[in-house]
Structure formats: C-alpha cells, structure tokens
Amino acid sequence: MTARPHDHFRRTFIGELLDAGVDLATAQALVGHASPATTARYDRRPERTRRAAVDKLGTPEAVPLPGAVPRRRETAPSGT
C-alpha cells in the first residue's frame, strides 16, 4: 500500500486533534469516518506512550517496539 499525501494530512490532522485533548468521537465526526475504529487507527498516542516508557529505562540502545517506527540515531560530529 502506497502512502498518499491525503493519508499524511489526515494522520497529522487527527493526531493533532487527539494530542490536543479532542475526544475520539469528535475527531471522527470532523473527518467523516463512519466508525470510531477507523479514526482510532490514526491515533499515534499509544506509540508515543510506549516510546516514553522505554526511554525512561535509560538504555543506550532501546529495543524496538512492535509496530514502532525506528527513530533516527544521532551521530557525533566527525573531525575531532
């Protein structure tokens, strides 16, 4: 399945609504989904909650979570 700009916009819009505390039913109505389950697929809060829990461990290399998008690893500048 190829991601389309529409999908990115919808994911961002719904995610921002939910992050701001808008309830799922209101977000569902705003985007015109027939089912709350469809809107819930765009909710990124569970992934952030899992990532925050792992980050609290303070491990040098956190274990990837199922379904999580790998984070970009920061590298030290070279030439020192």
Side-chain angles (χ1 to χ4, degrees), residues 1 8 12 20 26 29 31 45 50 68 71:
M1 181 178 205
H8 178 72
T12 300
T26 301
V31 297
R45 292 173 299 171
R50 291 190 311 264
R71 294 187 340 178

Side-chain angles (χ1 to χ4, degrees), residues 54-79:
V54 171
D55 287 346
K56 287 180 182 180
L57 296 175
T59 58
E61 289 294 323
V63 176
L65 298 170
V69 177
R71 294 187 340 178
R72 216 175 189 178
R73 187 175 180 186
E74 294 184 28
T75 57
S78 60

Side-chain angles (χ1 to χ4, degrees), residues 10-11 13-46:
R10 187 170 284 245
R11 181 168 304 280
F13 181 69
I14 295 169
E16 293 294 325
L17 287 172
L18 297 172
D19 287 348
V22 173
D23 63 278
L24 190 65
T26 301
Q28 173 192 349
L30 287 170
V31 297
H33 288 156
S35 166
T38 303
T39 308
R41 288 194 321 227
Y42 292 93
D43 190 354
R44 58 190 177 208
R45 292 173 299 171

